[in-house]
Amino acid sequence: MTTGLHPGGTPQDPPPTGNQPVPRQAPIGHGDLSADNRPRSSVITARAAASFEPVGRSVATARSFVRDTLQGWGFADIIDDAVVLTSELVTNAVVHAGTAADVLCLRSDDGARIEVADHYPEREIPLQGAAITMSSPDREGGRGLQLCAALASRWGVDYTPTKKLVWFQLDLPARPVGTRAAGPSIPAALLPLADGRVRVAVVQIDRTGSIASWNEDAEELFGYAAEQVTGKPLTDLAAWPHTPGTSTGIAEALRLSRWEGTYGIRGADGRVTPVYASHLRVRDTDGEPSTVCLLVRDHERAVLQTPLRGPAPDAASTPDGQNTDPFEVFIGSPAPDDLDGLLQRTVERARDMLDGDSAFLLLATDDETELEVRASTGLPSARQRFARVPVEAGPGRYGSARMPAVHEDLQAVPGAVPLLSGTGMRSVVTVPLKVEGRLTGSLGVAAEGPNKYSNEEALRLQFAADRIALAVESARLGELERLRRGSLSFLVEASDLLAGTLDRDQTLALMAQMTVPTLATWCAVYTIADQSSDPYLSYVLHEDEELIDGIKSLLSKIAPPDPVPTPGARVWAAPAEAAHQAALRTSMRSLGLGEPTRRVSSGIGPTLATASAVGGETVVLPLVARNRVIGMLTLGKPTDEHFRQEILELAEDLSRRAALALDNARLYSERTAISQSLQRSLLPPDLPHIEGVEVEVIYRAAGEGNEVGGDFYDLFPIRDGVYGFAIGDVCGTGPEAAAVTGLARHALRLLAREGFGGPAVLERLNSAILDEGARSRFLTLLYGELWPQEDGSAELKVVCAGHPLPLRLRQDGTVEPAAEPQPLLGVMDDLELYEQTVTLDPGDVLLCVTDGVTERREGTRMLGDDGLTDVLTTCTGLTAGAVAARVMRAVERFASDAPSDDMAILAMRVPGLQKD
């Protein structure tokens, strides 16, 4: 960097060099580009010039150059705006244009003009007459001109054959000379009342907190002579009020650059005199700090109390029509309308204002226990964003975010500002953002060099923080309201989806799909079968499907998180550590360097992409349902990313709903498995093979999830060459009817194998049903015994107890009942039943159905016995399986609604002897 300074008088322009701009020509299209191209009429009284190399560090150096120049000229009122504009324009030159930047500062009586030139004019030369529009603030290249339009009194763009030059003029604000604050003229009767002469005690406190000087008014007010108190700590005399919830004491107040407030002083008579004090921290020529305290009686505070600042005048009322709102002055106009944009603009302005290398802004959580990083500049933002630090990290002023703090060298106090660990920053100043006494955030500026900041910078930064705190809090509350509305909508939709299924696997999939990518980049669900079981990795999902297998492999090789029932999210560092070590091993193997010293468990070999995917923050939320931990929901971010607090709160709400849905699915699956197991026990095993007889059964139970209802069938061997068959219908459906079904089927098998004939079997079954008392059900039953014959026919003995009659289909297509009706079971004690003998000739079919088939309805129409007979007539020559299928198809097509009754179809056909 080369500089030149020419103070005083009206300087002559030096000949053009590499450090000075050549005489400017009229800009092309200047009517569209420049806000004001009027010739300069002010007399130039001083100038300073410098050139900066095209490197990133030059931006900070240019800011320092402009700040020091204007400070030396006494233009403190416009320094902040000048530094911001210079920073943007030099960034455009050395970073975006990639050329050196020439900065020229010109002083006049009414302000300063600053010119920034680069050496790349062909980068963006507008055509004659082309409309020029400013680019979006989000683009890197267009923000400098927008800031010029917002902050500068006048500005413009000039072009030469070798340079493009942007200039801006900042006028000094008009103010009465020597007046800092003033109050209105009021009658003498309304002036504050003082007892006698107003005495102002002047007490000077050295760096150890001891009294170094004590004036005569202090002696009169408190009764101590100077020699009595000199060298004693002020804390021996001060009665300091302790405010609940803060750690601010008199020692902390004495270290602040400025302080005003009320406390007490114990006088020589032992009484405490309430005083109003104004502290100013100074240092002598040797650099020794001390604090000067001015004290008056509390009721005379008007002597020292700083008058309240009145509201800023309206933009329309100012002579030049510019906005003088303090917030707009600091943040620039127009102010960003979104929280992230506002915070980012704030940290950039704060960095430029204090000529720092980085800046950061943290927002407090609702309970004011933690601060969350929301914006930064000059720091690795991807790693820092949404990271959280405690508000109170240690004793004293330097450990609390509630008070301003200045660290002259972070190497002397390692870990004092965890956010800056490993960033190379040495000095830092932080101040709180407060609204109505409540901590809402913290603003900090840091520099790479030590001893850069003092209480003076803390005071400037605190003043800026006070100007923007209310706007930041308002924007934050607006964002929270939008997030909460979105969260409510999200949770309502999630609840509907989770309530819409009772399938465990589908519930696991829904949990993962609702969190990725809305809440996290990847997630894993662990389930716990019972209290004695270890967590099991049940589901893994990543927004990039190609990474799912790698994450699953990584998680399966590390111990699962502990199933702690404590609500809320807790950080789980194991995946990121394992991923880091695995990536390190992979990289070292690829370089031929062998294995690293620190090894992870064998078998972990995820790719580098997988390691990057799980290298960020990972949190675990317990899935608690019915006072039991049934699993864990694990959410993860990629490398160096953190979760924001609102997302974790939303994930916690989701985990509670998901846990209940998952437990309901588990209970439903268990009940379904038990029900299905019991129902399958009521169905007969595989049908036996009967030589010379084709048998086909179709069974449909009414009701979702039911495998067995009130209808049942059975076909079983009684003894060699003799088979029993049955088809029945218990009154009603569901579990109660299924219970009678089981009783009937097992009783039939037992009684038939004991040698009882058909009537005796049914009579004993009737008694067993009646013995059930209130649980008994009416039962219609067709029972028979089958004897295949050597000539290819089959003989049947049938008892039809109140059941639809079996139908016999002959080869010629005729259909006729194969039995006569008799009383049903479960009604009367004494039954007199008889059996009938039926012979099936080769080609004949015996069809047995329950009333769910014959009573199939469509409005007022019913299939009935005649409809079934018509269907069976068309089945001549079909196998038993084809007959049963055709009947079932006819029943289903008869009505559009699903069947509401159980149905059973048993078809037996005698094919006859096969000829060689």
Side-chain angles (χ1 to χ4, degrees):
M1 178 186 81
T2 59
T3 63
L5 181 64
H6 309 276
T10 306
Q12 301 296 321
D13 289 343
T17 66
N19 297 333
Q20 297 292 337
V22 300
R24 279 165 289 284
Q25 302 173 357
I28 303 173
H30 65 280
D32 294 325
L33 279 172
S34 177
D36 187 353
N37 279 324
R38 292 175 295 176
R40 290 172 288 166
S41 59
S42 300
V43 177
I44 303 300
T45 59
R47 72 172 61 211
S51 289
F52 304 94
E53 297 299 322
V55 294
R57 182 61 184 167
S58 294
V59 178
T61 310
R63 291 199 301 266
S64 298
F65 165 69
V66 172
R67 180 182 300 281
D68 294 342
T69 299
L70 297 183
Q71 189 73 44
W73 290 347
F75 289 177
D77 292 321
I78 61 174
I79 284 178
D80 290 342
D81 288 342
V83 168
V84 169
L85 295 177
T86 302
S87 177
E88 292 292 339
L89 298 178
V90 173
T91 299
N92 289 341
V94 303
V95 175
H96 304 304
T99 75
D102 299 332
V103 179
L104 175 64
C105 300
L106 303 173
R107 183 183 70 182
S108 63
D109 294 335
D110 56 354
R113 173 182 169 120
I114 298 176
E115 301 176 353
V116 179
D118 63 48
H119 298 263
Y120 198 7
E122 65 271 20
R123 172 180 173 85
E124 190 175 333
I125 299 180
L127 300 177
Q128 179 68 31
I132 303 299
T133 58
M134 293 185 182
S135 58
S136 167
D138 297 330
R139 290 186 50 198
E140 292 290 343
R143 193 166 53 183
L145 298 183
Q146 287 189 322
L147 285 177
C148 286
L151 301 180
S153 303
R154 296 182 296 279
W155 65 279
V157 180
D158 295 348
Y159 290 92
T160 74
T162 59
K163 292 183 179 181
K164 181 181 74 176
L165 182 145
V166 181
W167 64 269
F168 60 89
Q169 173 83 23
L170 294 174
D171 294 337
L172 293 174
R175 61 174 59 177
V177 177
T179 301
R180 294 295 302 273
S185 176
I186 59 177
L190 299 180
L191 294 175
L193 179 66
D195 297 335
R197 184 171 69 86
V198 175
R199 298 185 180 274
V200 180
V202 181
V203 182
Q204 191 164 6
I205 311 299
D206 63 20
R207 69 186 309 162
T208 66
S210 300
I211 299 173
S213 64
W214 185 268
N215 72 343
E216 294 180 358
D217 279 359
E219 294 181 3
E220 290 291 335
L221 284 174
F222 309 122
Y224 295 106
E227 57 270 14
Q228 292 180 281
V229 294
T230 301
K232 291 185 177 181
L234 180 62
T235 53
D236 290 352
L237 304 180
W240 191 262
H242 292 279
T243 304
T246 67
S247 59
T248 308
I250 188 170
E252 286 75 18
L254 292 173
R255 293 193 187 99
L256 298 178
S257 59
R258 290 184 183 274
W259 185 90
E260 280 188 38
T262 302
Y263 53 92
I265 296 292
R266 296 183 183 86
D269 57 1
R271 296 181 179 180
V272 175
T273 302
V275 297
Y276 189 84
S278 175
H279 297 176
L280 174 66
R281 191 160 173 79
V282 298
R283 61 176 177 173
D284 58 22
T285 55
D286 297 329
E288 186 69 16
S290 63
T291 304
V292 177
C293 306
L294 307 180
L295 302 93
V296 297
R297 293 183 179 90
D298 188 59
H299 63 273
E300 298 170 344
R301 64 169 57 197
V303 176
L304 300 181
Q305 189 171 22
T306 301
L308 295 176
R309 291 189 297 271
D314 241 5
S317 65
T318 57
D320 57 359
Q322 292 188 1
N323 193 344
T324 58
D325 179 70
F327 169 75
E328 294 289 350
V329 170
F330 175 75
I331 210 65
S333 178
D337 56 0
D338 64 296
L339 178 62
D340 289 336
L342 176 62
L343 299 183
Q344 192 62 36
R345 179 80 64 85
T346 298
V347 295
E348 291 172 358
R349 294 301 304 270
R351 176 203 62 191
D352 296 342
M353 184 179 73
L354 297 188
D355 192 23
D357 297 304
S358 64
F360 52 88
L361 194 149
L362 303 86
L363 294 183
T365 55
D366 291 339
D367 57 2
E368 297 184 33
T369 59
E370 286 187 314
L371 295 167
E372 186 176 70
V373 180
R374 290 300 303 271
S376 64
T377 182
L379 297 174
S381 57
R383 175 169 66 88
Q384 304 293 347
R385 187 166 169 80
F386 300 126
R388 289 174 295 280
V389 296
V391 170
E392 303 284 351
R397 179 169 67 95
Y398 294 102
S400 174
R402 302 181 189 278
M403 297 290 294
V406 177
H407 294 279
E408 297 177 347
D409 192 349
L410 289 177
Q411 290 187 357
V413 280
V417 184
L419 189 64
L420 300 179
S421 299
T423 62
M425 300 298 158
R426 295 283 298 275
S427 55
V428 61
V429 54
T430 62
V431 297
L433 274 70
K434 292 186 176 182
V435 175
E436 297 180 352
R438 182 173 59 87
L439 179 69
T440 60
S442 177
L443 177 63
V445 177
E448 295 178 354
N451 304 314
K452 186 165 184 178
Y453 299 120
S454 63
N455 283 339
E456 181 180 351
E457 284 77 21
L459 183 63
R460 292 180 61 202
L461 190 61
Q462 183 66 72
F463 184 53
D466 293 341
R467 284 190 280 182
I468 57 97
L470 186 60
V472 169
E473 180 67 2
S474 177
R476 187 183 76 91
L477 292 176
E479 181 192 66
L480 285 177
E481 181 62 26
R482 289 190 296 271
L483 284 174
R484 283 167 181 161
R485 286 199 300 266
S487 299
L488 181 61
S489 176
F490 172 79
L491 291 174
V492 169
E493 182 179 357
S495 299
D496 289 343
L497 290 173
L498 291 171
T501 178
L502 288 173
D503 181 81
R504 176 182 176 276
D505 293 337
Q506 189 174 0
T507 302
L508 290 173
L510 282 174
M511 290 171 57
Q513 291 166 7
M514 285 185 292
T515 56
V516 176
T518 304
L519 305 181
T521 305
W522 64 272
C523 84
V525 183
Y526 290 84
T527 56
I528 302 175
D530 52 59
Q531 297 293 340
S532 61
S533 301
D534 293 329
Y536 174 75
L537 183 61
S538 298
Y539 202 92
V540 176
L541 184 65
H542 190 280
E543 60 183 6
D544 184 354
E545 294 183 357
E546 295 181 356
L547 298 177
I548 294 177
D549 292 338
I551 297 176
K552 188 180 299 183
S553 174
L554 175 70
L555 296 178
S556 63
K557 298 301 189 295
I558 62 178
D562 296 330
V564 179
T566 306
R570 69 181 191 277
V571 176
W572 185 31
E577 293 176 356
H580 174 74
Q581 292 300 320
L584 180 62
R585 294 179 59 212
T586 302
S587 300
M588 296 188 72
R589 280 199 304 268
S590 66
L591 296 174
L593 300 178
E595 296 290 335
T597 303
R598 183 180 176 186
R599 300 184 58 180
V600 295
S601 57
S602 61
I604 300 180
T607 63
L608 295 179
T610 301
S612 176
V614 300
E617 188 175 44
T618 302
V619 297
V620 179
L621 296 105
L623 299 175
V624 181
R626 298 175 175 90
N627 298 321
R628 186 174 74 87
V629 180
I630 64 171
M632 286 88 70
L633 177 62
T634 303
L635 306 179
K637 287 282 190 179
T639 300
D640 296 337
E641 289 195 19
H642 297 267
F643 287 96
R644 59 186 304 176
Q645 187 64 31
E646 294 83 5
I647 294 297
L648 293 180
E649 293 173 357
L650 180 58
E652 185 178 355
D653 286 338
L654 176 64
S655 68
R656 287 194 290 266
R657 290 164 168 79
L660 188 59
L662 184 61
D663 198 45
N664 288 340
R666 177 188 64 84
L667 293 174
Y668 177 78
S669 298
E670 291 179 357
R671 303 295 190 274
T672 301
I674 294 172
S675 174
Q676 291 175 346
S677 177
L678 291 174
Q679 291 184 68
R680 282 192 293 269
S681 69
L682 301 178
L683 294 173
D686 294 339
L687 297 177
H689 175 70
I690 303 176
E691 189 69 29
V693 179
E694 297 174 358
V695 179
E696 181 64 27
V697 174
I698 296 178
Y699 183 81
R700 298 285 188 273
E704 183 178 358
N706 291 331
E707 294 188 21
V708 177
D711 290 6
F712 69 95
Y713 68 94
D714 201 0
L715 181 64
F716 56 92
I718 298 176
R719 52 187 178 274
D720 290 342
V722 181
Y723 297 87
F725 67 90
I727 183 169
D729 183 3
V730 179
C731 177
T733 60
E736 295 82 3
V740 178
T741 295
L743 170 65
R745 194 178 68 79
H746 291 293
L748 288 175
R749 288 195 171 211
L750 179 63
L751 295 171
R753 288 171 177 172
E754 288 295 323
F756 293 99
V761 168
L762 268 60
E763 289 168 1
R764 285 164 174 75
L765 175 59
N766 180 64
S767 299
I769 293 173
L770 292 174
D771 289 342
E772 291 293 307
R775 295 180 299 174
S776 64
R777 293 288 189 274
F778 303 152
L779 172 63
T780 66
L781 181 63
L782 173 65
Y783 174 76
E785 296 178 357
L786 172 66
W787 283 271
Q789 303 298 312
E790 294 182 359
D791 60 359
S793 63
E795 184 177 332
L796 293 84
K797 292 184 178 180
V798 181
V799 179
C800 185
H803 198 77
L805 299 178
L807 299 179
R808 176 181 180 180
L809 171 64
R810 296 182 180 273
Q811 287 190 7
D812 59 3
T814 59
V815 176
E816 60 185 7
E820 296 178 355
Q822 300 185 59
L824 53 79
L825 307 181
V827 178
M828 298 180 293
D829 289 331
D830 297 328
L831 286 180
E832 294 184 2
L833 303 176
Y834 58 91
E835 61 184 9
Q836 297 173 271
T837 301
V838 180
T839 301
L840 296 181
D841 297 327
D844 288 355
V845 175
L846 184 69
L847 178 65
C848 308
V849 299
T850 58
D851 60 6
V853 174
T854 57
E855 295 179 0
R856 176 71 164 149
R857 294 180 179 275
E858 173 68 19
T860 58
R861 298 169 50 242
M862 186 172 68
L863 181 63
D865 295 335
D866 294 339
L868 181 61
T869 300
D870 294 339
V871 174
L872 187 58
T873 302
T874 65
C875 298
T876 304
L878 299 180
T879 63
V883 171
R886 178 168 292 186
V887 171
M888 190 67 200
R889 187 163 55 251
V891 172
E892 291 175 342
R893 291 178 176 177
F894 186 80
S896 58
D897 296 337
S900 59
D901 196 4
D902 305 327
M903 292 187 294
I905 300 173
L906 172 61
M908 294 182 290
R909 178 176 180 269
V910 181
L913 297 176
Q914 300 294 327
K915 297 182 180 179
D916 296 335

